[in-house]
Amino acid sequence: NSVPGGVLLFGYADAGKVSLGKALATEAGASLLMTTPSRLAGLTPEGACELLKDLFKKAIDEAPAVLLIEKMDVLMENIGLGAVNALINGIKDIKASGAPVVFVGTLNWAHSTVSDENSTFEPELLHLLEYKIRVRLPDRDERIAGIRKALAVRGIDTIPEELVQNIADRVIGRSIADINECIALAIRMAAKQQRAVDKDILSDALGEFNFGQKHEWDEIDYYATAVHEAGHAYMLWLIGEKSSFVTIIGRGEYGGYTRPKVDEDR
């Protein structure tokens, strides 16, 4: 089989597109060359285009290689037509050389497909990206595995499995990167309190990560919020639904919060 000239990985931000591109290079035993719009921001458009051309040439020279470019849409918007042409010509050079080089571009994209009709990509470039692969956010089992791994890597073994699964229910629509950021927040909070991360600190960190800082209230406010949120939870029960989380702690724009348990298999 021939090596594809171009692959487009698209999906929500932080879904793991860049990590997949890096993993491809590692698993294939290939050189990894990559750049981002931010790394080109200090260059003139001409200088940025020359750097792109050099990357393609270097990838061919160092084959087998993976050439990874993040946020292709941002890069092309910042640099202009020259970047589009550099990418088109670079992918054509890869195909013409026959070298085992894979160009991988990433795109933060909420739609299920990327096509001529719904994107502003130059049609020729879009067609050269032969494989368009949607990278979805993790499902419940993947979130549970991500939480366990993030805790284990940091040597945190005090979190009960029940809380791990509850957190997974409360971070639907979040990425593994978000999960790691939340646990990093818990570690900072624990350090400020001069104690180890436990279930209370991790729960507090998740609340702050999702909704913001706590509100300091009087007892009557907590009582009123408890009655209000109990009403939400009771109504869910009446219609045959369950709550994955109920709190009377106000954060950000929320006075309290009741999260329905979502059946992701529906």
Side-chain angles (χ1 to χ4, degrees):
N1 295 331
S2 62
V3 176
V7 177
L8 179 66
L9 301 178
F10 67 95
Y12 286 100
D14 295 326
K17 301 180 289 295
V18 172
S19 296
L20 279 176
K22 292 178 178 178
L24 172 63
T26 300
E27 291 298 317
S31 300
L32 174 66
L33 296 90
M34 65 178 294
T35 193
T36 66
S38 61
R39 290 180 181 173
L40 302 177
L43 301 176
T44 63
E46 294 77 13
C49 290
E50 283 302 316
L51 188 146
L52 288 174
K53 292 175 185 177
D54 290 344
L55 279 174
F56 278 100
K57 182 178 183 304
K58 188 175 181 182
I60 293 171
D61 291 342
E62 295 187 6
V66 172
L67 175 51
L68 174 62
I69 295 186
E70 288 186 57
K71 302 176 183 175
M72 286 180 59
D73 55 328
V74 176
L75 182 143
M76 291 185 290
E77 181 180 340
N78 290 349
I79 301 174
L81 184 59
V84 177
N85 291 332
L87 294 173
I88 289 174
N89 293 331
I91 296 173
K92 285 182 175 179
D93 288 344
I94 289 174
K95 295 177 72 67
S97 72
V101 176
V102 179
F103 171 83
V104 179
T106 75
L107 171 66
N108 291 343
W109 192 250
H111 301 288
S112 60
T113 59
V114 183
S115 66
D116 292 336
E117 290 73 27
N118 69 358
S119 79
T120 57
F121 272 50
E122 171 67 31
E124 184 177 8
L125 175 58
L126 197 59
H127 297 159
L128 284 169
L129 297 168
E130 301 165 45
Y131 292 88
K132 301 170 185 66
I133 302 171
R134 185 185 186 193
V135 182
R136 59 176 177 75
L137 290 166
D139 62 22
R140 186 176 188 272
D141 288 343
E142 290 164 340
R143 293 194 302 274
I144 289 172
I147 295 166
R148 289 173 179 159
K149 181 178 180 180
L151 291 171
V153 164
R154 293 165 175 82
I156 301 171
D157 58 4
T158 56
I159 308 303
E161 181 62 21
E162 182 181 7
L163 180 57
V164 169
Q165 302 216 11
N166 181 255
I167 290 173
D169 289 332
R170 293 160 57 189
V171 292
I172 293 173
R174 294 285 197 171
S175 67
I176 298 299
D178 290 331
I179 289 170
N180 277 280
E181 188 176 339
C182 177
I183 293 174
L185 174 60
I187 292 172
R188 293 195 298 272
M189 293 171 68
K192 286 181 180 178
Q193 298 177 40
Q194 298 184 332
R195 52 189 282 203
V197 175
D198 57 19
K199 61 185 182 66
D200 293 329
I201 286 182
L202 185 55
S203 294
D204 197 21
L206 180 60
E208 184 169 321
F209 184 75
N210 280 335
F211 304 118
Q213 295 281 343
K214 291 179 183 177
H215 297 311
E216 295 298 331
W217 283 347
D218 295 327
E219 184 175 347
I220 187 63
D221 297 314
Y222 284 114
Y223 177 80
T225 303
V227 172
H228 180 88
E229 297 305 328
H232 284 305
Y234 181 59
M235 290 303 296
L236 285 171
W237 179 78
L238 285 178
I239 62 175
E241 301 287 345
K242 295 180 179 179
S243 304
S244 64
F245 179 66
V246 181
T247 181
I248 63 171
I249 296 174
R251 295 178 182 272
E253 298 178 357
Y254 291 89
Y257 191 75
T258 300
R259 176 155 197 158
K261 185 174 178 62
V262 177
D263 184 354
E264 296 179 61
D265 295 327
R266 285 182 180 176

